[in-house]
Amino acid sequence: MKSSIRTTLLALALAGTPLPVLADSGFFVSGSIGSSTFEDDIENFRLDTDTTAYRLTAGLQIGNYLGVEGGYHSFGKYDESFDIGDGVTDISLQADGWTLGLVAGIPVSESFSLFGRGGAFFWDADARIDDVVIGFPEDTDWYWGGGADVRVTERLSLLGDWTRYEFEGAKSDVISIGFKFVF
């Protein structure tokens, strides 16, 4: 009996309360492209390089403050050459993965907001030293970052952000620009 009274009171309170927090709810897709840096030691070679990366996401925006997103991120191909003795050793690394996380936003004005993001990063990578493939096991690590969202129209926004991805202790920082479309 107490449970049904509480449920009824809660339903009445929510029905009579305006919920501006849910004003901008909806499904969204986003895409971005940017520069990705990578630092790590691979077989005693210090790899410190950058490449072009891209990200595609889809999710659910829950009001002005919270969203859930999942997506795909490709880091491109990191290449670096080392002079060793009489020859050159070429090292390359390719990585990509899937993300699942939360996005929390703070509206600053009607068309501008700041956001933070974070979640799990399910990744796979392969490295090559000359023609020898060094495989990495698939793994799950964290990603986090933040940025700005500038609304261009009611449904379209421009995004600029920084995101840090982890790879078994190595890190990749991605600075990107892109778009978000809310349905």
Side-chain angles (χ1 to χ4, degrees):
M1 179 73 172
K2 284 184 180 181
S3 176
S4 64
I5 291 172
R6 278 190 226 145
T7 303
T8 303
L9 288 174
L10 179 60
L12 288 172
L14 288 175
T17 304
L19 294 174
V21 167
L22 299 178
D24 289 332
S25 297
F27 289 100
F28 68 87
V29 294
S30 69
S32 63
I33 189 166
S35 177
S36 174
T37 61
F38 182 81
E39 294 179 30
D40 194 20
D41 291 325
I42 297 177
E43 300 294 321
N44 297 320
F45 291 100
R46 180 77 181 148
L47 193 61
D48 186 359
T49 187
D50 61 13
T51 189
T52 301
Y54 70 90
R55 173 179 52 229
L56 302 170
T57 62
L60 176 63
Q61 184 69 36
I62 306 166
N64 292 325
Y65 304 103
L66 187 63
V68 178
E69 70 178 9
Y72 174 75
H73 190 100
S74 173
F75 293 89
K77 185 176 179 182
Y78 302 100
D79 290 311
E80 199 158 352
S81 296
F82 297 90
D83 290 324
I84 299 176
D86 294 335
V88 174
T89 298
D90 295 317
I91 296 180
S92 67
L93 174 71
Q94 287 184 287
D96 65 354
W98 298 91
T99 59
L100 181 60
L102 296 175
V103 180
I106 300 172
V108 176
S109 72
E110 198 169 301
S111 62
F112 180 77
S113 64
L114 299 174
F115 65 87
R117 70 161 37 111
F121 177 48
F122 310 92
W123 60 271
D124 184 29
D126 286 314
R128 287 184 179 267
I129 298 178
D130 290 326
D131 290 325
V132 178
V133 176
I134 300 169
F136 291 94
E138 292 181 5
D139 205 352
T140 303
D141 284 298
W142 298 104
Y143 74 96
W144 65 91
D149 180 319
V150 178
R151 188 180 296 184
V152 178
T153 69
E154 187 174 316
R155 296 178 185 241
L156 182 66
S157 294
L158 292 177
L159 304 174
D161 66 48
W162 163 84
T163 307
R164 157 96 27 108
Y165 295 86
E166 298 278 332
F167 298 92
E168 286 188 357
K171 64 182 183 236
S172 176
D173 292 317
V174 179
I175 296 174
S176 64
I177 188 164
F179 69 92
K180 178 170 92 173
F181 185 82
V182 179
F183 294 92

